[in-house]
């Protein structure tokens, strides 16, 4: 639980832990997310096939004598083998074999986390009460589509909470005063179950002058957000935010640009656009890293649907919500 925020540190939902291209068949990767040590691995492909077997995520520490499976562990016969005494664990967490023992003790098992691999992203389901997934990560039609470029990747580590980053999508006044967009956007926001949909008409400053555009945001919980920009060029930002520990989140941006008739133009416009989005994020970072969470906030007309956002946000905490900071201070004073 974080002292900076009056809600649990680790929200429920799907969160990215790697990209598909980072995990070849037979590869093992140590992870540190949700305040836990985990291991990600992918079984070997059957001989002579181009298949990419589904990856698995397990708790990292071996129940035998505690070695970390992500540091020296290897994939053998579809299992992960511990580097210390070679016990083998299946993707579902059961112990498949102990090379020097006849009997496998019942406690020889690791927690297996739900995993999906979609849109070139490897996602893990985190739920505070360990319930199974209640929704799925959507397929992104632009990914690997011939009319769109491949992903261009960026990554940051930020000292904040997922909820604070997602709130940015509905905080309209900051777009002008922090990011310098020419006019305040018109916004429609609507929340259905775990998806928050926000549409803004906006005038953006680009190296090509001011351009009128639309920004359409679909936040699937706090871990996976699709932002579609339509203006002089169509761009899609696949954005993931995964909680690392009590302090920080791991932020990944994957940009896709709809190809223009000329390759050079696609790359020039795409690069300029990405630079603008990076510039905006780097303006947000010092705000997020140093702000406090004010609840209830002092909202005025023109602030955007922040109240609605916060009601929607409540569904991603299976642990009980805490008393807001201001109320706690009042009680203790
Ligand atoms: S610690 Fe893993 S097999 Fe002994
Ligand atoms: Fe922002």
């Amino acid at each position: 639980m974080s002292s900076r925020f009056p809600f649990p540190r680790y929200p429920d939902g799907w969160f990215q832990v790697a990209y598909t291209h980072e995990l070849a068949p037979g590869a093992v990767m140590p992870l540190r997310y949700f305040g836990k040590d985990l291991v990600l691995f992918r079984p070997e492909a059957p001989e002579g096939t181009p298949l990419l077997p589904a990856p698995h995520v397990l708790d990292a520490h071996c129940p035998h004598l505690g070695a970390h499976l992500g540091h020296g562990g290897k994939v053998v016969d579809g299992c992960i083998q511990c580097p210390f005494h070679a016990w083998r664990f299946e993707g579902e967490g059961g112990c498949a074999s102990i090379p020097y023992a006849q009997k496998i003790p019942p406690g020889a098992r690791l927690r297996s986390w739900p995993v999906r691999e979609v849109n070139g992203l490897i996602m893990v389901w985190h739920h505070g009460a360990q319930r199974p997934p209640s929704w799925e990560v959507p397929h992104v039609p632009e990914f690997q589509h011939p009319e769109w470029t491949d992903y261009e990747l960026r990554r940051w580590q930020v000292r904040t909470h997922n909820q604070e980053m997602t709130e940015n999508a509905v905080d309209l006044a900051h777009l002008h005063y922090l990011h310098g967009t020419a006019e305040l956007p018109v916004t429609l926001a609507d929340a259905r179950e775990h998806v928050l949909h926000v549409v803004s008409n906006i005038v953006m400053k680009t190296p090509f002058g001011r351009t009128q555009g639309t920004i359409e945001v679909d936040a699937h919980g706090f871990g996976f957000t699709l932002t579609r920009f339509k203006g002089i060029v169509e761009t899609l930002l696949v954005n993931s935010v995964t909680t690392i520990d009590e302090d920080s989140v791991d932020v990944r941006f994957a940009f896709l640009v709809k190809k223009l008739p000329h390759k050079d133009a696609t790359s020039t416009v795409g690069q300029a656009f990405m630079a603008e989005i990076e510039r905006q994020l780097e303006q947000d970072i010092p705000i997020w890293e140093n702000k406090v969470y004010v609840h209830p906030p002092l909202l005025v007309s023109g602030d955007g649907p922040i109240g609605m956002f916060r009601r929607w946000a409540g569904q991603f905490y299976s642990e009980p919500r805490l008393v807001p900071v201001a109320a706690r201070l009042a009680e203790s004073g």
Side-chain angles (χ1 to χ4, degrees):
M1 199 142 312
S2 165
S3 56
R4 272 183 78 197
F5 304 101
F7 34 76
R9 180 68 210 173
Y10 304 106
D12 302 337
W14 287 104
F15 298 92
Q16 185 181 3
V17 297
Y19 284 104
T20 293
H21 67 84
E22 295 172 321
L23 193 75
V28 176
M29 193 190 285
L31 302 175
R32 174 86 189 153
Y33 286 119
F34 322 116
K36 297 194 183 320
D37 289 308
L38 307 170
V39 61
L40 166 68
F41 73 98
R42 192 192 295 282
E44 316 90 323
E47 195 111 354
T49 70
L51 283 181
L52 206 53
H56 301 286
V57 171
L58 301 175
D59 276 355
H61 293 120
C62 181
H64 177 219
L65 284 167
H68 192 307
L69 297 169
H71 293 281
K74 29 178 211 216
V75 174
V76 183
D77 291 341
C79 294
I80 183 155
Q81 177 173 299
C82 182
F84 210 3
H85 317 93
W87 292 25
R88 284 186 196 166
F89 297 90
E90 298 161 341
E92 292 68 40
C95 180
S97 73
I98 301 174
Y100 55 91
Q102 302 302 320
K103 229 179 134 228
I104 295 175
R109 120 170 305 306
L110 286 161
R111 175 176 171 194
S112 168
W113 295 63
V115 179
R116 299 285 186 275
E117 188 164 29
V118 56
N119 311 313
L121 276 57
I122 300 175
M123 313 281 296
V124 166
W125 174 258
H126 173 268
H127 192 281
Q130 296 196 25
R131 284 198 213 106
S134 49
W135 45 275
E136 293 295 327
V137 183
H139 169 70
V140 173
E142 293 90 338
F143 175 66
Q144 292 184 333
H145 189 287
E147 288 174 18
W148 288 75
T149 60
D150 290 335
Y151 282 159
E152 172 89 24
L153 306 179
R154 300 284 186 280
R155 195 163 168 186
W156 295 262
Q157 191 167 318
V158 185
R159 211 158 39 75
T160 187
H161 190 288
N162 297 61
Q163 179 172 328
E164 292 275 66
M165 293 193 71
T166 313
E167 190 168 285
N168 226 240
V170 291
D171 180 338
L172 303 188
H174 99 288
L175 291 173
H176 180 66
Y177 296 100
L178 180 65
H179 300 314
T181 56
E183 283 167 27
L184 289 179
V186 177
T187 294
L188 271 169
D190 148 53
R192 280 201 203 132
E193 300 178 340
H194 64 280
V195 184
L196 177 76
H197 182 68
V198 184
V199 185
S200 312
N201 294 316
I202 192 166
V203 178
M204 288 180 85
K205 282 192 233 157
T206 74
F208 311 97
R210 291 185 170 195
T211 150
Q212 178 77 42
T214 321
I215 305 181
E216 212 169 325
V217 179
D218 286 288
H220 294 253
F222 294 149
F224 181 76
T225 301
L226 300 171
T227 306
R228 291 181 169 90
F229 301 86
K230 289 178 187 155
I232 42 173
V233 64
E234 269 187 68
T235 316
L236 166 62
L237 170 58
V238 179
N239 165 21
S240 81
V241 181
T242 308
T243 322
I244 300 171
D245 55 20
E246 292 295 315
D247 294 320
S248 302
V249 295
D250 197 356
V251 183
R252 291 174 177 93
F253 277 15
F255 294 96
L256 291 155
V257 181
K258 186 161 186 195
K259 291 178 190 162
L260 297 167
H262 297 288
K263 203 165 167 254
D264 290 354
T266 308
S267 128
T268 309
V269 175
Q271 292 295 332
F273 187 80
M274 286 173 221
E276 169 62 14
I277 299 302
E278 279 183 84
R279 183 189 71 84
Q280 292 198 13
L281 187 86
E282 280 164 16
Q283 289 173 325
D284 284 317
I285 287 174
I287 301 284
W288 288 324
E289 294 203 325
N290 296 293
K291 77 187 288 297
V292 295
Y293 184 82
V294 177
H295 192 76
L298 276 179
L299 296 178
V300 294
S301 64
D303 269 331
I306 292 176
M308 179 261 225
F309 168 81
R310 290 191 176 187
R311 285 191 296 281
W312 173 79
Q315 69 181 292
F316 303 108
Y317 301 104
S318 47
E319 300 162 58
R321 277 179 85 86
L322 306 176
V323 184
V325 175
R328 276 216 310 267
L329 292 177
E331 277 167 19
S332 62

